[in-house]
Amino acid sequence: MSPKRWAVLLLTVALLAGLGFGGYVVYEKVRQRLTPERCTVVVDDQTVTLTREQATNASIIVAASVSNGLPERAAIVALVTAYQESGLRNLDYGDRDSVGLFQQRPSQGWGTVEEIMDPWYSSEKFYEALAKIDGWEDVDINDIAQKVQISAYPDAYGKHTANATAVAKSLLGEPASISCVNFELADPEPDEFAAVLEAIDADFVVDADTVTISGDEDEVWSGVNMAMANGYAAGLSRVEVLGKVWTPEKSGWRDAETDGADAVLTLG
């Protein structure tokens, strides 16, 4: 082949390669723009998708149950209620003067609007009301939620039980059961999930842009899953724990090269 033909061939290959790379870059940008920030919880046969806001609120609800020394069932009841009342969103509106995760009413003694709009406060008030009901642990989940809420729709809560159970089990330590997708990482802010780790009494250490969680397997996984649910604002970029690794641009956990006992969370 003549030198001229070789030059034309090489130029053609270079152009095709450039188009291929450019097309991939465009594809990635479009894919990222169209892929919503979300967390997926998978426990047994139940799959639950949560938005960034829902995941954060769920972690607060569950962490508050742990800090009050309540069993898993309490977290399930609270999540069922928040699913029905607000869709796990911290609403600043509702029926009459109802606001917040649980649509609690200032006029009914739940607190001020400002207090109720604090997810930690509203969760604490919910558990306070729940604990006052004798034998609540043995009452049907739909019925006990209704006893706390006194809703005009008394049979509306039960349909959320499967989702609430999966989310509660995940945040309480089901291994590798929550994974989040996020393409635009925030600046590292470990304080964003420090509150939930402190509430569940997790043993963790913050060192620059790294957070290490230690303890027994259930404690470590609960801490990891709680942090994952708050990972968007925290700028969580990598988690490696007990032979598993997660990064935010891929859905699901993968096998890691190490199997250390501690969880190492990288930010930024």
Side-chain angles (χ1 to χ4, degrees):
M1 185 180 295
S2 68
K4 185 176 181 180
R5 287 180 178 271
W6 271 113
V8 172
L9 178 60
L10 290 173
L11 178 59
T12 302
V13 170
L15 287 171
L16 290 174
L19 288 172
F21 177 75
Y24 173 76
V25 170
V26 171
Y27 164 77
E28 271 298 297
K29 289 187 177 297
V30 171
R31 182 174 73 90
Q32 291 178 15
R33 186 173 295 276
L34 294 179
T35 301
E37 293 183 330
R38 68 183 185 276
C39 291
T40 302
V41 173
V42 180
V43 174
D44 298 326
D45 295 327
Q46 189 71 16
T47 299
V48 184
T49 300
L50 301 171
T51 66
R52 169 180 177 173
E53 179 184 10
Q54 288 175 319
T56 301
N57 288 332
S59 73
I60 292 172
I61 291 171
V62 176
S65 76
V66 176
S67 68
N68 280 278
L70 296 169
E72 177 186 283
R73 188 176 181 83
I76 295 172
V77 174
L79 287 169
V80 159
T81 305
Y83 259 116
Q84 174 58 30
E85 297 292 349
S86 67
L88 282 176
R89 296 170 296 160
N90 197 26
L91 302 178
D92 62 359
Y93 61 90
D95 179 47
R96 287 172 283 188
D97 60 337
S98 301
V99 293
L101 284 173
F102 301 96
Q103 290 292 279
Q104 295 156 333
R105 298 180 61 192
S107 64
Q108 300 301 306
W110 288 97
T112 66
V113 171
E114 183 179 4
E115 287 173 332
I116 296 171
M117 286 300 295
D118 177 355
W120 286 100
Y121 173 91
S122 61
S123 297
E124 291 282 349
K125 295 298 286 186
F126 180 88
Y127 291 125
E128 181 181 306
L130 177 66
K132 290 179 179 178
I133 301 173
D134 290 338
W136 69 266
E137 300 95 330
D138 302 317
V139 179
D140 177 79
I141 286 177
N142 179 91
D143 295 344
I144 195 62
Q146 168 62 11
K147 283 181 178 293
V148 175
Q149 295 297 108
I150 314 177
S151 168
Y153 304 95
D155 299 319
Y157 299 99
K159 62 179 176 287
H160 302 290
T161 301
N163 281 353
T165 300
V167 173
K169 286 183 177 296
S170 174
L171 295 174
L172 289 171
E174 184 74 18
S177 57
I178 182 170
S179 176
C180 301
V181 174
N182 178 31
F183 295 107
E184 296 182 5
L185 292 175
D187 292 332
E189 289 288 349
D191 288 347
E192 291 293 340
F193 55 70
V196 292
L197 296 181
E198 290 168 353
I200 65 172
D201 201 25
D203 186 5
F204 69 101
V205 176
V206 178
D207 181 13
D209 294 340
T210 300
V211 179
T212 302
I213 303 174
S214 58
D216 63 33
E217 184 172 346
D218 288 341
E219 292 170 341
V220 169
W221 272 113
S222 181
V224 165
N225 293 348
M226 288 283 188
M228 179 78 68
N230 289 267
Y232 292 114
L236 192 61
S237 61
R238 179 182 174 87
V239 179
E240 190 162 344
V241 53
L242 300 170
K244 295 291 184 180
V245 65
W246 167 91
T247 51
E249 75 278 2
K250 295 183 179 179
S251 180
W253 291 80
R254 308 180 300 284
D255 290 338
E257 296 180 0
T258 60
D259 57 358
D262 295 339
V264 178
L265 290 65
T266 304
L267 309 179

